[in-house]
Amino acid sequence: MLALAAFAQSLACPDCAPVRAARTAIAADPDRWLYAFGVAAPFVVASVVIALVYRLGRSGPGREDSSWR
């Protein structure tokens, strides 16, 4: 909840003391890229799996002739 409060304050005042403190804390965190990767990784993996399943579905057997004769 505190993160949302800080975000709301950053929209109201982009250069206030709490926002500067939050920026400093984020910049000083040595694991910030690890957290960012941890948040983004599931979306990247899901996108790759969806793309592979889509490609397999389009070129699978029996898809070449779908017309009614």
Side-chain angles (χ1 to χ4, degrees), residues 11-51:
L11 293 177
C13 181
D15 199 30
C16 294
V19 176
R20 285 192 298 265
R23 286 184 193 141
T24 304
I26 291 170
D29 187 8
D31 293 332
R32 67 179 176 262
W33 294 112
L34 180 64
Y35 298 143
F37 179 74
V39 168
F43 294 102
V44 172
V45 170
S47 298
V48 169
V49 169
I50 290 169

Side-chain angles (χ1 to χ4, degrees), residues 2 6 9-11 22 24 27 29 41 52 55 57-58 64 66-67:
L2 292 176
Q9 285 181 352
S10 71
L11 293 177
T24 304
D29 187 8
L52 289 174
R55 283 186 66 100
R58 289 193 70 193
E64 292 84 17
S66 62
S67 63

